[in-house]
Each structure stands twice: as C-alpha cells, then as structure tokens.
C-alpha cells in the first residue's frame, strides 16, 4: 500500500515538475511578433475574417491574441482564417475583469452576491467585478475558460490576464474588496487579528496608515488571494491543465514606471499584482508584464519606457531564470496617446534589448497609422486557378470607391469582376500568368470604420501602383 502511495506521489511530482521544466525550455511561440485583436471593433466588421488575417500578416505580425471580456469572443471563422494564414492563435481573457451589468443576462443566477464590496464609493457601478474569494465565482469562471478551450482546440496559447484588484486608496477612496468573505478568510488566515484594516476612519485602531503591521498582513492576503485564484483556474481540479493539456499558458501581471523606491512592492500593495509569486505558484509556459494605465495614458510616453519595467522582469527572473517573458503595451485607446508603427518598432526593440523575448500591443486597429497613412499595395497574388488576382493592401479600403473597374488594368487581360474585402481587392479575369505586371490607378482607405471615426474623417488616397503577379 505504502509503495503504491509513494509511486502515486512520485508520478504527481513528476507531472508537476515536467510542467515547470517545459517552461524553462525556450519556445518559438513566445518570440513571434504578436498583436491583439478584439473582433467586436468596427474595423473588423463587414469584411471576411480571411481579410483580417491577411492584413495582420502583411504588416509583419505572426501571432494574434484574440482579446475580449469573455471567451465568447472566440469566433470559429476567425480562428480558422488565422490558422490558415499560418498565424499562432492566442486567447487573452481576464478572469478577474468585470462584466457589464447591462449584459447580466449572460451571468448565472446569484451573480449579484459575488460582487466585490468597496471601501468608499464604487468607481464602476455599471461593471460587476467578482470577489476572488467567492468559490462559486471561481468555479464559474474556470468552467467558462475550459469550455471555450475545449470548444476551440486550435488555440495555441491561453493568456490568463488582468488578475488584479480594480480600485484605489488614493486620491479617491474606491478600494476593493472588503466584503464579509474577505473579512472571514483574512481573520482565519491571521487568527491573531480581529478585523481587516479600516480604510475610512482615521481614528480607528485598525486604520491602515497607523496599524502598519495589520496592513502589511492585508497586502499579503490580497496577493495570495489573487495568485491562488489564477492558479486554481490553471492547475486546479477541472482547470486548464487538467482538461486542456495541449494549450500553452501565459500568465500576466501589471508593471508601472511611476517613480517609486520599490515599484514591484508598490504594485503588490496597490493592485495585489505580483509576477514572481504568480510564476512561482502557477508554473506558466510564459509570462507577460502588462503596461499599467499611469503609463499608457501618457501622451508623450517614450518608446524606450520598457527600461523602467526592468525591476518587474528581474523579479520574475529571480524565481524562474529561463522563463520567456513578454511585455504588452497600449497603442491607442485614447485619442491623444495613439502610437505609430514606428513608435511600436522602437518599443519592441527596446524591450528585446533588456531581456524580453516578445512584445504585443492592444490593439491592431488602434495604430495611429490606420488613420493617417496612405494606402499601399503590398502584394499581388495570382491564385491557383490562374484567373483570380488578390491585391493585398496595408489597410482597409473604401469598398465603394475601390470597386471601380476603371482603376485596374492588366495589359492584354480583361478584368471581369471586382470585389473589395477589407484590405483585399479580389479581381476575376479570363486568365493571367505569373510575372505579368498590373496597374492600379488609385486606392482609397476607409475612414468610416476607424476608431475615433468622428474625429478622423479625412480619407487618404494613393496611386498609381505597378505590381508584378506572384503566388
């Protein structure tokens, strides 16, 4: 009997350490140029998913992280198109992120009881954030993730993103979570303490600024709760590794360049976000450090700012020296801070120079270039039927204007039909041959589907173009 128990324990340990060992072996997946795509944005609507894959690939990206507030953002046709184009497919989802209350019909019965409780005011009354110490919420989130991955086994990497608490102590008090679940769990973990810190009453014996020992324990408690929440989704019973063992896992934490004596400790305190603790417990295949709002909202953020995230990278390397670590940045969620592709290239270069193996950006259609650069004809592909020519442009085109047959000519070849699909122009002919030249008089981009379309109404045009037909 004891031999069998020992044997089982040995198998368990071997499985645990084999997962950790795999994370120490460099994997090409975590070096490819990656970009995030949220298919709900207008830029990706009313066009084929094949055209989205073509556009992302022609602009140099080899990997797409499909991103959304729910795994339901995984559209089978989009996954198929990306894989057909040879792109690595990731799913990026934040299990501690919130749900819009207006969409609560998609939530299970009793979800209202899972919500975090704030000290001070609720900064997000229209968004439901769930307490990580609520077991029912955890089990629902875990099943939501594994159901999605089981339904889409083509997914190469699952990103467990945004595992942190939303809210602040200062300058305005909107701090979570102080629900009864957290009080009970904290006092059970620290039986010598009778309560959690008080964040409101400055005269209380529990006030967090004066009862520093109590507050220190509370900071550890929050970090522990966030890390264990993530670990259960990954390694727990019914979790990703048990049910979906073929998918690679990338964990995430927040970084920040805001001047601090110890920026890593500051993020542990403010957001309960600790990359080293996550990596140590979860044993991911890779890890990503996410740019925090105080940085990405800066209009004048320098592309060399990854250097200021080095303490976060070093903290992870201290517990897992060979783990491949990537860095994520924001490209243009606010109008005044939109970044260009040149800015992104410099960001990527800097990140690699200091030790990151990969970068990714949120997200492709937010690049400043989408609004300001001219259309460029990148390639003319003669399809295998020798009748169809696919013109691949750098960006989405105006479907109505670019449908005009008069814009396209191939000496000695009759153009029969034109179809504009996103950044593609599909031309039907009576027959063509490799190496033949074709001409495009002019191309017009599409200002309607841009992000911030109301402020960015100018249509860009370019031409003429001459290109050779290739496979």
């Amino acid at each position: 009997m004891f031999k069998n128990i020992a044997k089982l324990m040995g198998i368990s340990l071997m499985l645990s350490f084999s997962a950790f060992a795999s994370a120490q072996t460099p994997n090409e997946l975590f070096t490819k140029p990656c970009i995030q795509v949220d298919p709900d944005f207008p830029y990706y609507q009313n066009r084929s998913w094949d055209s989205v894959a073509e556009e992302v690939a022609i602009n140099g990206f080899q990997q797409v992280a499909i991103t959304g507030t729910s795994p339901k953002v995984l559209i089978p046709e989009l996954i198929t198109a990306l894989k057909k184009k040879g792109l690595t497919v990731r799913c990026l989802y934040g299990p501690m992120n919130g749900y819009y209350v207006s969409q609560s019909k998609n939530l299970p019965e009793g979800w209202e009881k899972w919500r975090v409780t704030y000290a001070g005011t609720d900064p997000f009354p229209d968004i439901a954030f769930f307490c990580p110490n609520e077991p029912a919420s955890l089990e629902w989130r875990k099943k939501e993730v594994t159901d999605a991955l089981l339904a889409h086994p083509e997914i190469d990497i699952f990103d467990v993103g945004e595992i942190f608490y939303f809210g602040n102590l200062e300058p305005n008090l909107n701090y979570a979570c102080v629900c009864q679940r957290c009080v009970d769990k904290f006092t059970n973990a620290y039986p010598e303490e009778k309560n959690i810190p008080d964040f409101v009453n400055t005269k209380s014996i529990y006030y967090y600024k004066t009862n520093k020992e109590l507050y220190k324990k509370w900071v550890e408690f929050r970090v522990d709760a966030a890390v264990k929440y993530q670990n259960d989704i990954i390694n727990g019973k019914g979790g990703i590794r048990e049910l979906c063992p073929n998918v690679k896992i990338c964990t995430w934490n927040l970084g920040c360049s805001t001047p601090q004596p110890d920026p890593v400790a500051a993020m542990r305190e403010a957001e309960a976000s600790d990359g080293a603790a996550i990596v140590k417990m979860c044993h991911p295949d890779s890890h990503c450090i996410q740019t925090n709002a105080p940085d990405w909202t800066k209009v004048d953020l320098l592309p060399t700012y990854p250097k200021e995230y080095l303490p976060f990278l070093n903290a992870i390397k201290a517990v897992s020296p060979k783990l491949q670590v990537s860095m994520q940045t924001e490209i243009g969620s606010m109008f005044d801070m939109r970044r260009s592709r040149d800015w992104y290239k410099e960001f990527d270069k800097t990140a690699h120079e200091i030790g990151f193996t990969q970068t990714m950006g949120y997200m492709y259609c937010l690049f400043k270039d989408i609004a300001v650069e001219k259309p460029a004809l990148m390639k003319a592909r003669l399809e295998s039927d020798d009748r169809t020519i696919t013109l691949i442009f750098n960006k989405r085109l105006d479907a109505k204007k670019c449908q005009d047959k008069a814009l396209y000519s191939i000496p000695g070849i009759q153009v029969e039909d034109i179809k504009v699909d996103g950044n593609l122009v599909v031309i039907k002919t009576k027959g063509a041959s490799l190496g033949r030249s074709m001409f495009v008089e002019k191309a017009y981009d599409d200002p309607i589907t841009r992000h911030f379309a109301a402020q960015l109404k100018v249509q860009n045009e370019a031409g003429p173009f001459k290109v050779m037909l290739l496979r």
Side-chain angles (χ1 to χ4, degrees):
M1 177 179 175
F2 291 108
K3 287 183 179 179
N4 289 336
I5 291 174
K7 187 176 180 181
L8 288 171
M9 288 177 65
I11 292 171
S12 176
L13 286 169
M14 285 172 64
L15 289 172
S16 174
F17 284 108
S18 67
F20 184 67
S22 69
Q24 306 303 298
T25 305
N27 190 321
E28 184 189 8
L29 285 179
F30 303 113
T31 63
K32 294 180 177 181
C34 180
I35 196 70
Q36 293 174 245
V37 167
D38 182 340
D40 286 340
F41 274 64
Y43 192 79
Y44 309 113
Q45 302 297 308
N46 301 312
R47 60 188 292 190
S48 74
W49 295 118
D50 284 324
S51 75
V52 174
E54 290 279 6
E55 182 172 341
V56 168
I58 204 70
N59 282 288
F61 295 102
Q62 299 174 19
Q63 194 171 99
V64 169
I66 304 173
T67 305
T69 57
S70 165
K72 292 177 182 177
V73 77
L74 293 173
I75 300 167
E77 294 81 6
L78 172 57
I79 296 171
T80 299
L82 295 172
K83 298 294 282 189
K84 186 171 71 174
K85 192 60 189 172
L87 300 170
T88 301
V89 181
R90 307 171 74 136
C91 173
L92 171 55
Y93 171 54
M96 272 182 74
N97 213 325
Y99 265 89
Y100 287 103
V101 175
S102 60
Q103 299 172 1
S104 60
K105 65 179 183 296
N106 299 321
L107 297 174
E109 186 177 350
W111 66 269
E112 297 91 343
K113 297 177 182 178
W114 302 350
R115 296 184 73 166
V116 298
T117 300
Y118 286 91
T121 58
D122 183 346
F124 311 105
D126 298 327
I127 303 176
F129 291 96
F130 300 145
C131 175
N133 289 312
E134 168 50 57
S137 166
L138 171 59
E139 290 304 313
W140 175 72
R141 289 285 202 186
K142 183 163 52 176
K143 188 174 187 304
E144 184 184 40
V145 168
T146 54
D147 282 354
L149 292 176
L150 288 169
H152 303 287
E154 312 93 330
I155 297 293
D156 299 294
I157 303 166
F158 185 77
D159 290 90
V160 191
E162 302 201 329
I163 302 290
F164 55 86
Y165 288 84
F166 292 78
N168 301 287
L169 283 170
E170 296 176 346
N172 301 308
L173 181 61
N174 42 56
Y175 184 79
C177 176
V178 294
C179 71
Q180 192 59 46
R181 286 177 299 259
C182 291
V183 173
D184 293 342
K185 199 161 185 177
F186 177 77
T187 52
N188 285 335
Y190 298 95
E192 70 277 14
E193 302 296 350
K194 305 303 180 187
N195 210 336
I196 67 171
D198 190 321
F199 300 100
V200 179
N201 183 4
T202 58
K203 296 180 180 180
S204 169
I205 61 171
Y206 303 116
Y207 187 57
Y208 79 103
K209 285 188 176 181
T210 52
N211 194 332
K212 295 183 179 180
E213 189 61 31
L214 175 64
Y215 181 56
K216 182 180 178 181
K217 293 174 183 177
W218 173 253
V219 169
E220 293 300 324
F221 170 78
R222 292 213 316 160
V223 170
D224 187 62
V227 173
K228 285 180 176 176
Y229 181 90
Q230 185 167 193
N231 184 61
D232 197 89
I233 290 172
I234 297 168
N235 297 312
K237 183 175 176 56
I240 299 171
R241 282 201 165 122
E242 179 183 308
L243 300 183
C244 314
N246 293 326
V247 69
K248 299 295 183 184
I249 295 169
C250 181
T251 50
W252 285 47
N253 79 289
L254 283 169
C256 196
S257 69
T258 303
Q260 297 279 353
D262 185 345
V264 175
M267 289 310 304
R268 293 180 84 255
E269 177 184 354
E271 313 275 5
S273 183
D274 185 336
I278 291 168
V279 166
K280 194 173 183 179
M281 179 173 284
C282 299
H283 296 169
D285 298 291
S286 180
H287 187 81
C288 181
I289 298 175
Q290 179 180 357
T291 300
N292 207 346
D295 289 324
W296 69 254
T297 54
K298 294 175 183 174
V299 174
D300 57 351
L301 181 66
L302 295 175
T304 54
Y305 83 94
K307 294 176 183 177
E308 299 179 51
Y309 277 56
L310 196 54
F312 296 93
L313 178 60
N314 289 340
I316 291 164
K317 292 294 186 180
V319 299
S320 186
K322 294 183 180 179
L323 185 69
Q324 291 169 283
V325 183
S326 57
M327 184 170 177
Q328 183 262 9
T329 193
E330 247 280 359
I331 291 171
S333 287
M334 296 172 61
F335 184 80
D336 290 334
M337 52 68 60
R338 292 171 297 138
R339 319 293 184 202
S340 68
R341 287 196 179 97
D342 286 341
W343 183 97
Y344 188 82
K345 287 176 183 176
E346 185 65 24
F347 157 80
D348 177 78
K349 178 174 175 286
T350 303
H352 278 86
E353 286 174 349
I354 65 170
F356 289 98
T357 61
Q358 186 180 43
T359 59
M360 72 170 75
Y362 181 87
M363 71 168 180
Y364 176 76
C365 70
L366 301 182
F367 271 122
K368 187 176 183 179
D369 309 67
I370 296 292
V372 301
E373 73 178 350
K374 295 179 182 296
L377 179 52
M378 310 294 282
K379 184 178 180 180
R381 185 174 65 219
L382 180 62
E383 306 296 353
S384 58
D385 63 1
D386 288 333
R387 293 183 62 249
T388 306
I389 298 167
T390 302
L391 303 182
I392 306 173
F393 284 81
N394 60 327
K395 61 192 302 193
R396 185 167 181 162
L397 301 176
D398 183 320
K400 187 175 181 180
K401 285 188 176 180
C402 294
Q403 197 92 9
D404 185 357
K405 285 185 183 181
L407 296 174
Y408 311 95
S409 61
I410 311 169
I413 301 294
Q414 182 180 343
V415 173
E416 294 184 321
D417 184 57
I418 303 284
K419 179 185 176 183
V420 180
D421 175 15
N423 69 312
L424 307 178
V425 179
V426 182
I427 302 172
K428 293 290 186 181
T429 71
K430 287 187 176 297
S433 57
L434 290 174
R436 185 181 288 271
S437 294
M438 76 165 295
F439 301 88
V440 180
E441 182 64 29
K442 192 156 287 189
Y444 306 85
D445 73 357
D446 179 11
I448 305 298
T449 57
R450 297 170 185 160
H451 200 53
F452 304 115
Q455 297 107 302
L456 300 167
K457 297 180 180 180
V458 175
Q459 184 171 56
N460 301 294
E461 59 182 70
F465 303 101
K466 178 183 178 181
V467 65
M468 185 180 293
L469 301 182
L470 303 170
R471 285 294 186 210

